[in-house]
Amino acid sequence: MADALLLQLPAPDLRWPRLDANLPLAAGYLAAWARRQIPNHTVELLPRTEADLLGDVALVAAILARRPRLVGFSVYLWNAERTLHLARRLHDAGVPVILGGPEVTPDNPWLWQASGFAHRVRGEGERAFAALLAGEPLGETAPALDPAEVPSPYLDGVLAPHPDGSLWLETVRGCPFRCSYCNYGHRSGPPRRFPEPWLPGHLAWAAAHGGSELYLMDPSFNVRPDWERVLGQLEQGNRGGALRLHTELVADNLRPGDARRLAAAGLASCELGLQSTHPEVLAAAHRPWRRQAWLRGARELVDSGVETVVGLILGLPGDTPGRFRDSVEFVLEELPGAEIQVFPLALLPDTELRTRAAELELAYQPRPPYTVTRTPGFAPEELTEALHGFERRTGLELDPVPPPELGGRWSGGEDALYWSGVRLDADCRPLPADWPERVAARAARHLTLWLRGWAGEFPRQVARLTALLRHGVLTVVLDDGAGWPPGRLGELLAAGSGDHFLDRGAVHLYGPGARLVPRLVALVDAVHPGANGPWQAAVRSRADWLWRLPAGAGWAGRSVDLLGEGENLLVTGNPDPAELLPLAETLGHDAAGLQFADPATQGRWQQLTGDDGFRAAEHRVELP
């Protein structure tokens, strides 16, 4: 039994989870501090496999099985609602919960004033957390710490590199800027640097413990009085570039030659937060920008081989469709070797823009992700059109919906930690009435429910399953030939809550009422005569379409044709293995839309098409 169990829930995504996407750095700091300050108390982190992969019901059960005296959650924009949901379930089971992180603030009343947790801490939580464990009085606002006091969760053995060898590291706390849209600088104050040995010590530790990627989390890594010393530490400590480095830079502040030195020291990628090129927009955001200095620094990064990502924010005060297009054109014309990332403006808690939203006439979502829905410069449809215009201009697809994943084995996962897929056959035998509860108890946070045939109870049963996994990502596959009533899709959509985090995040791309969860997929035989015409159009208007094609004569050529048209495809049977490599080379990026029902073929296909081995394992079952 641990005195405290800490965890950080991952960001929701339509893709099946990877093992390198959710490193609980904040929880690691808390555990390292507590182990030093109160060594007679046991503080554990929930294993990442459970924290990252289990669905709501299974995750609560896994936490309760450890019988902790206290559970602590790190709360961020992407996990706040699910965290509160699980906190209430734990509270109902008699386990006290403490919440901390940037979402925990009086400026977020939906969370701050909620029930279901015993304690909340605003600010840097190391000292407050240890005080709570020691039975001392706990205030709701924690003071900033001197980084010299903070132990390293890596050097103290709390955290290890991700399975892919990646680590996240701060070298300062605080930010030199006070951008109106960002809460970090306002919460954390001016930069406070970690001691001089901190960075070299972590470079050496990473090299000795299998590290391969180091993400330097400082918001403006090169804006600091000790920049020359830090740059020299990177050059000395990562000589030869064994660690691939990633960070955020301020291009205006790069001196001539800095980019080349960073590249030689292993910098593989960087983010440049440009946000806009219009003086009025930048002034309202409190963003200084020296155009020529920025261009010189950014071009040197690109020319030095550093993957450079330029961030633009859509919808800042003073921004308009024309000004946003001008910012996009500036980057495309002046920095053609860079990638552009576009973020709709989010009115985060504890930001100036959130405080002044009414004054500035900024309408926004009251729940995460808090993105604006209307501004003086953008009507709702103009926000959507700006993103679609960006896609047309650049050829990029913003937040592409991944193909539904049905390839590989659909049996044998009964005894696994979690189930990622469940196949039900309504045509062969009666289904147990309690199958939604049985599935929810074992479900991963991403679950594919493959329905063969149709039962009239399916919509009500899917509604029960959705309620139990309300913050997970459910994909429902309908596999019943062709010609079934398209109204079934409406019945299944009604089973969802209609207010999922991913739905709200999709509003700007897909318009009001966007529904991504539950995701509906129609699996239809490519040779079925009823799969064309009005029926197909009606189904496609509400569901993703997946063709099923037997691996008979000419299957590879037919696959190339369908995938080239943007379709997704599940191939059944046993294709000739010799056909796979030429097909992968022909398809290129389109290969992502092709899957194979045969497990051995699917495994080989994933190897050929770039699977890096860091996807979480899938475990599927057939019921009953």
Side-chain angles (χ1 to χ4, degrees):
M1 176 190 298
D3 290 303
L5 184 66
L6 302 175
L7 68 154
Q8 172 180 299
L9 300 177
D13 194 304
L14 288 175
R15 295 167 181 81
W16 174 248
R18 291 172 54 87
L19 298 174
D20 59 352
N22 183 43
L23 199 155
L25 182 59
Y29 278 125
L30 297 184
W33 178 279
R35 290 179 185 182
R36 286 198 182 189
Q37 299 296 322
I38 45 173
N40 58 322
H41 289 70
T42 57
V43 179
E44 299 176 357
L45 271 63
L46 188 69
R48 293 180 196 169
T49 302
E50 298 178 27
D52 289 2
L53 300 178
L54 294 185
D56 293 353
V57 178
L59 184 54
V60 169
I63 293 171
L64 294 176
R66 285 174 165 75
R67 300 166 58 208
R69 291 177 46 216
L70 175 72
V71 174
F73 287 91
S74 301
V75 190
Y76 297 91
L77 173 151
W78 59 82
N79 66 21
E81 291 176 295
R82 186 179 180 217
T83 293
L84 186 57
H85 173 70
L86 296 183
R88 287 169 171 157
R89 302 288 80 76
L90 294 170
H91 175 80
D92 292 345
V95 179
V97 171
I98 180 171
L99 305 183
E103 288 289 292
V104 183
T105 166
D107 199 32
N108 227 9
W110 73 268
L111 178 65
W112 186 261
Q113 298 172 7
S115 60
F117 51 89
H119 310 282
R120 59 194 178 193
V121 174
R122 179 188 186 193
E124 297 177 14
E126 289 94 339
R127 183 175 283 122
F129 174 67
L132 177 64
L133 286 184
E136 300 173 7
L138 179 67
E140 290 186 334
T141 300
L145 294 173
D146 178 355
E149 302 177 70
V150 178
S152 165
Y154 298 108
L155 305 187
D156 279 20
V158 176
L159 294 179
H162 263 307
D164 70 339
S166 62
L167 304 86
W168 299 352
L169 182 70
E170 298 176 301
T171 70
V172 301
R173 288 188 178 178
C175 181
F177 300 111
R178 296 294 180 271
C179 303
S180 62
Y181 54 82
C182 181
N183 54 21
Y184 185 60
H186 295 275
R187 289 195 328 265
S188 300
R192 292 162 281 133
R193 298 191 298 274
F194 281 81
E196 184 172 338
W198 181 268
L199 179 56
H202 283 86
L203 291 172
W205 183 92
H209 290 80
S212 60
E213 309 260 352
L214 178 62
Y215 292 83
L216 296 158
M217 307 299 291
D218 306 343
S220 303
F221 182 60
N222 62 313
V223 182
R224 54 199 308 155
D226 61 343
W227 171 237
E228 178 59 34
R229 175 177 63 81
V230 168
L231 183 52
Q233 289 178 338
L234 291 178
E235 292 174 313
Q236 181 66 31
N238 196 38
R239 188 173 306 209
L243 283 171
R244 288 170 50 86
L245 307 178
H246 312 269
T247 195
E248 180 182 326
L249 298 170
V250 178
D252 323 29
N253 281 52
L254 288 171
R255 305 167 303 184
D258 278 355
R260 291 189 293 275
R261 293 174 64 186
L262 283 166
L267 184 66
S269 72
C270 70
E271 298 180 21
L272 305 179
L274 178 59
Q275 319 313 2
S276 175
T277 59
H278 197 280
E280 181 181 333
V281 178
L282 291 172
H286 310 320
R287 287 287 296 183
W289 185 50
R290 293 173 289 143
R291 177 188 178 109
Q292 293 307 315
W294 188 92
L295 276 172
R296 178 195 49 75
R299 286 169 175 162
E300 188 178 325
L301 285 165
V302 172
D303 293 344
S304 298
V306 177
E307 180 183 333
T308 303
V309 180
V310 178
L312 298 175
I313 295 179
L314 172 67
L316 284 164
D319 199 9
T320 65
R323 289 174 175 178
F324 175 72
R325 285 194 298 270
D326 290 344
S327 297
V328 172
E329 291 300 324
F330 171 82
V331 181
L332 292 176
E333 293 174 7
E334 300 288 352
L335 205 63
E339 177 186 342
I340 304 176
Q341 285 188 345
V342 176
F343 305 93
L345 174 63
L347 298 195
L348 303 175
D350 286 337
T351 61
E352 178 185 329
L353 292 186
R354 167 80 78 98
T355 301
R356 299 179 60 201
E359 170 197 345
L360 296 172
E361 300 181 58
L362 302 174
Y364 67 100
Q365 298 170 329
R367 294 288 184 101
Y370 310 120
T371 46
V372 291
T373 55
R374 179 187 292 274
T375 77
F378 286 91
E381 63 273 13
E382 289 175 314
L383 290 166
T384 299
E385 174 53 30
L387 295 177
H388 292 172
F390 173 81
E391 291 181 317
R392 291 192 298 269
R393 177 65 180 90
T394 62
L396 300 173
E397 185 178 2
L398 297 171
D399 296 328
V401 176
E405 300 189 29
L406 301 188
R409 187 178 304 280
W410 275 85
S411 62
E414 289 78 8
D415 296 327
L417 175 65
Y418 54 83
W419 294 345
S420 60
V422 175
R423 187 157 59 190
L424 303 175
D425 196 333
D427 290 339
C428 292
R429 49 190 179 273
L431 296 172
D434 65 343
W435 72 257
E437 289 71 27
R438 290 173 56 189
V439 169
R442 302 292 302 278
R445 66 181 176 93
H446 281 61
L447 178 70
T448 298
L449 183 65
W450 186 340
L451 304 179
R452 283 178 161 172
W454 181 258
E457 299 83 14
F458 275 162
R460 293 187 297 275
Q461 292 170 330
V462 171
R464 281 160 46 200
L465 181 63
T466 302
L468 292 167
L469 304 174
R470 59 177 302 180
H471 295 289
V473 177
L474 176 65
T475 297
V476 181
V477 180
L478 277 76
D479 180 7
D480 194 20
W484 41 264
R488 289 180 184 173
L489 297 169
E491 294 180 59
L492 290 171
L493 276 177
S497 68
D499 192 31
H500 195 279
F501 175 90
L502 292 176
D503 294 337
R504 280 178 251 129
V507 163
H508 293 89
L509 274 177
Y510 304 110
R515 291 289 300 275
L516 297 183
V517 181
R519 182 183 185 185
L520 303 183
V521 176
L523 177 60
V524 183
D525 292 326
V527 296
H528 199 294
N532 297 307
W535 179 82
Q536 183 180 151
V539 171
R540 283 183 183 267
S541 69
R542 293 187 174 185
D544 294 321
W545 190 273
L546 182 64
W547 289 113
R548 177 165 48 201
L549 179 70
W555 76 270
R558 183 78 188 281
S559 298
V560 171
D561 292 340
L562 288 170
L563 293 162
E565 296 169 1
E567 302 285 4
N568 295 311
L569 190 61
L570 176 68
V571 174
T572 59
N574 295 284
D576 183 351
E579 295 183 275
L580 297 183
L581 178 57
L583 181 59
E585 294 172 342
T586 299
L587 290 173
H589 292 302
D590 289 339
L594 179 59
Q595 302 165 61
F596 295 88
D598 175 63
T601 305
Q602 177 67 7
R604 175 63 175 153
W605 184 248
Q606 289 176 328
Q607 293 175 351
L608 290 173
T609 54
D611 181 7
D612 59 11
F614 297 113
R615 280 169 44 94
E618 293 209 55
H619 305 289
R620 298 158 170 170
V621 299
E622 294 200 60
L623 291 182

